[in-house]
Amino acid sequence: MALLTKAIKGTQDFLPSNSNQVRYVEEVAVRIAENFGYHEIRTPVFEHTELFQRGVGDTTDVVQKEMYTFDDKGGRSITLRPEGTAGVIRAFLEHGLFNEPLPFKASYLTSCYRYEKPQTGRLREFHQFGIECVGASEPSADAEIISLAYTFFNALDISNIKLEINSIGCPECRKKYHEALASFFEERKGDLCETCLERLQKNPMRILDCKSPVCSEITKNAPVVLDYICDDCRDHFESVKKHLDAMNIEYTVNPGIVRGLDYYTRTVFEFVSNEIGAQGAVCGGGRYDGLVEQLGGTHVPSLGFAIGIERLLLLMQAQNIAFPEYDPCVLYIAAMGEKAQLEASKIALDLRISDIPTQFDTAGRSLKAQMKYANKLNALYSVVIGDDELDNNSVTVKDMSTGETFDLAVDSFSEDFEEIFSSRLIDSLNQMFNVEE
Ligand code: HAM
């Protein structure tokens, strides 16, 4: 039975009492993305397993250890998306979007699935706000997407978040780097874990993200990729930095950032915080010039990033950032008796259609309990309807904060209440902004 009332390890609920937080960050995300010309894309939660094996790379931790993969009833191997980029590029190719003027720009808010060891900021189901810019080769594009993430964090009033950038070069200069890494790790082969021994053969760079304590200790002295990049990649990186400087976006170059997914080329970056525990990377992204080709398209230089919503919320909570609350309940209708309840349903619907948040009792409470509940809801006004009120065609509305009351006719209640509420709202807004009558 305990299983029935326990969410799966590494997953969590967003309850209505704080869903305003996630809704707020998502609304800001969509608004900022749109200001930068990114509109939303929605791709399926599952894709063919091969898409991630090829896209993310089959020597990565994500593909080797963390994917939720299963055969469906038709015998296809299906994987719950561990990240958003591969699905977006699949959609770009499938819908022939390369025939449209480029860059193709898309943003997304999605759930992702990784079978990782859960801890603070690390879940098995988590959510990302991401953007992908497909078909933009210039360094200005790298700086522009970084500036999008930067604008988003600013819009949320987040401070103290550090931008770290690096270049991991192109496949050409990467070859030299791989050789250097391979000979470095070859000498320390005896201490590497089994997965890393395999990586040493296939993709030594992936040893750099191994989470085993022994391997991570060894990697501390490994050669850094920035020392091996070619002139073109170096020029590109220098130009990205100039654009960031021009926009006054502060950064540090961290040669240790290599990212855990195989598709990256040239610029990679993370926004990190030291206020949310060990999982400090709130945003990760970079350029992936070879991915479209790798998935069957032509050469289309591209780039993007994703921000983890749960880590973002942890950070905002750590920084005591206030979230906008939901609109309060404007009117609570306490109804006694069947006729009054029918009237309450009708009035509530009329007011809700007019966008006035209204509630009434659906749990069979006594009048006293209904008023207590109205208080708990922080309703701005309440009204009691019973047989007497219906017979006299008159109800008394109470302003719950001042205790002031006024009477309205039952048969024109919704129109009259709406008018009074709107004019009071306008008065208080005028007062708030000191507008002269
Ligand atoms: P990523 O670095 O794997 O990149 O993930 C991006 C962000 O998702 C991380 O910085 C983190 O905030 C969040 N995240 C990742 N794993 C977890 C987890 N297990 N629990 C909670 N949050 C997590 C990507 O996914 C790339 N697709 C980003 C990208 C887009 N690059 C180019 N375009």
Side-chain angles (χ1 to χ4, degrees), residues 196-336:
C196 285
L197 284 177
E198 203 184 305
R199 288 168 170 158
L200 182 57
Q201 302 311 317
K202 293 188 181 161
N203 186 356
M205 220 167 126
R206 290 282 68 95
I207 300 176
L208 301 176
D209 8 272
C210 184
K211 288 165 195 135
S212 104
V214 180
C215 298
S216 1
E217 194 52 42
I218 298 174
T219 59
K220 279 186 185 156
N221 300 315
V224 293
V225 62
L226 211 47
D227 293 338
Y228 292 82
I229 63 175
C230 64
D231 288 347
D232 281 354
C233 289
R234 191 167 298 284
D235 289 348
H236 185 97
F237 192 47
E238 289 309 312
S239 180
V240 172
K241 290 197 274 182
K242 274 192 200 150
H243 277 90
L244 292 174
D245 292 337
M247 291 188 280
N248 291 322
I249 297 178
E250 283 179 24
Y251 56 84
T252 48
V253 174
N254 178 353
I257 294 186
V258 289
R259 311 279 302 127
L261 314 168
D262 269 353
Y263 47 62
Y264 290 108
T265 51
R266 294 193 162 176
T267 318
V268 286
F269 63 91
E270 288 180 355
F271 281 85
V272 290
S273 161
N274 56 13
E275 293 174 68
I276 53 170
Q279 302 304 316
V282 180
C283 170
R287 191 166 263 293
Y288 48 88
D289 289 347
L291 182 58
V292 175
E293 210 169 347
Q294 219 167 309
L295 296 179
T298 53
H299 180 70
V300 187
S302 306
L303 63 169
F305 69 71
I307 291 171
I309 298 288
E310 287 81 0
R311 290 188 195 172
L312 179 73
L313 290 175
L314 281 177
L315 180 58
M316 291 175 72
Q317 286 150 7
Q319 298 192 355
N320 287 319
I321 292 173
F323 294 89
E325 295 293 332
Y326 284 122
D327 285 343
C329 169
V330 170
L331 179 70
Y332 187 84
I333 309 170
M336 288 309 296

Side-chain angles (χ1 to χ4, degrees), residues 23 44 144 170 173 180-181 188 191 208 236 255 278 284 300 318 322 374 396 420:
R23 194 178 77 167
E144 189 191 34
C170 60
C173 40
L181 271 185
R188 293 151 181 89
D191 298 324
L208 301 176
H236 185 97
V300 187
T396 303
I420 292 174

Side-chain angles (χ1 to χ4, degrees), residues 56 62 66 82-86 108 112-114 116-117 119 121-128 130-133 145 259-261 263-264 270-271 279-288 303-312:
V56 173
V62 169
E66 296 168 3
E83 58 96 58
T85 311
Y108 50 86
C112 299
Y113 303 84
R114 295 185 193 174
E116 291 193 83
K117 199 160 184 253
Q119 59 168 232
R122 191 161 72 196
L123 291 131
R124 291 182 175 171
E125 181 190 61
F126 59 99
H127 297 80
Q128 287 187 341
I131 60 123
E132 309 297 345
C133 176
I145 65 156
R259 311 279 302 127
L261 314 168
Y263 47 62
Y264 290 108
E270 288 180 355
F271 281 85
Q279 302 304 316
V282 180
C283 170
R287 191 166 263 293
Y288 48 88
L303 63 169
F305 69 71
I307 291 171
I309 298 288
E310 287 81 0
R311 290 188 195 172
L312 179 73

Side-chain angles (χ1 to χ4, degrees), residues 180-200:
L181 271 185
S183 69
F184 173 85
F185 286 120
E186 196 66 42
E187 283 167 25
R188 293 151 181 89
K189 212 161 127 173
D191 298 324
L192 293 178
C193 73
E194 240 168 72
T195 321
C196 285
L197 284 177
E198 203 184 305
R199 288 168 170 158
L200 182 57

